Amino acid sequence: MGMRIGQGVDAHCFVSGRPLVLGGVRIEHAQGLAAHSDGDVVIHALCDALLGAAALGDIGRHFPDDEDQYAGIDSRLLLRRVMAVLRERGLGVGNVDLTVIAQRPRLAPYIAAMTQALAGELHCPAERVSVKATTTERMGFTGRGEGIAAMAVVLLDET
Ligand code: MG
C-alpha cells in the first residue's frame, strides 16, 4: 500500500471576546472563533485529514464536542493525540497542504509561524508542510467576514 491520502474541511464563525488561534498560532484580531475547543479551524481540518487518511473516522468521533474535558482545549493537544494514534498504526506524515479561507485578518505575516508550529506537531520538516491563505473576493460567509474556513490534504506514509 505505502501511501494514504486524506482530506479535511472545517469552518467556524467569528465571535467577540475570544482570542483567534490558527494553526497553533495566536493571531492579532478583534474577534476569535466560536467553538467548544479553542476554535483552531486549521488544526481541526488537519486532524480530519489525518484521521481520514487512516480511515479512522473524524475529529468529532474522537473528541466529542459535548464532553467537558475538551471545553476550551488547545487544539494542538487534539493534534498530538491524533498523531499518537497514527504512530501506533505505523503511519507518518509524508506532506501536508493547508488552505485557510478568510477575508480578514490578513494572514501572510503568520504563515511562517503556522508552518513551523504545525511541522513540530507533525514530526516532519517544515519543507513538507504547506500553509496557504486565500480570500473569497468578499463572496459567501468567509467573504462577508462571518467566519473562517480551512481545507487540508495530507499524505501519510506507512512506515
Ligand atoms: Mg472545528
Side-chain angles (χ1 to χ4, degrees):
M1 177 107 190
M3 292 186 289
R4 304 179 65 113
I5 194 168
Q7 58 115 23
V9 177
D10 196 22
H12 286 269
C13 64
F14 278 123
V15 284
S16 296
R18 284 176 64 102
L20 178 61
V21 183
L22 297 174
V25 174
R26 174 76 191 267
I27 311 283
E28 268 319 306
H29 195 54
Q31 293 179 300
L33 295 172
H36 186 64
S37 66
D38 66 0
D40 193 328
V41 67
V42 177
I43 287 185
H44 296 178
L46 175 57
C47 286
D48 264 358
L50 292 164
L51 291 168
L56 288 171
D58 59 34
I59 192 172
R61 187 178 111 194
H62 288 262
F63 313 109
D65 66 6
D66 56 358
E67 285 190 13
D68 290 346
Q69 61 174 316
Y70 302 123
I73 194 170
D74 182 335
S75 292
R76 286 176 300 184
L77 300 177
L78 306 182
L79 178 55
R80 268 170 225 173
R81 291 203 208 171
V82 168
M83 288 304 296
V85 168
L86 296 185
R87 210 172 311 123
E88 277 169 22
R89 286 168 171 74
L91 295 167
V93 171
N95 75 298
V96 170
D97 189 17
L98 300 164
T99 303
V100 191
I101 305 166
Q103 193 65 41
R104 59 187 168 82
R106 199 173 153 267
L107 296 174
Y110 300 98
I111 296 290
M114 284 192 257
T115 303
Q116 288 296 335
L118 294 173
E121 299 296 343
L122 294 167
H123 311 292
C124 73
E127 303 84 59
R128 292 202 236 151
V129 179
S130 159
V131 181
K132 315 188 299 299
T134 186
T135 72
T136 50
E137 299 289 345
R138 305 197 174 279
M139 296 181 288
F141 71 89
T142 54
R144 291 188 295 270
E146 294 169 11
I148 293 180
M151 304 176 72
V153 175
V154 309
L155 203 61
L156 298 183
D157 286 322
E158 290 177 328
T159 53

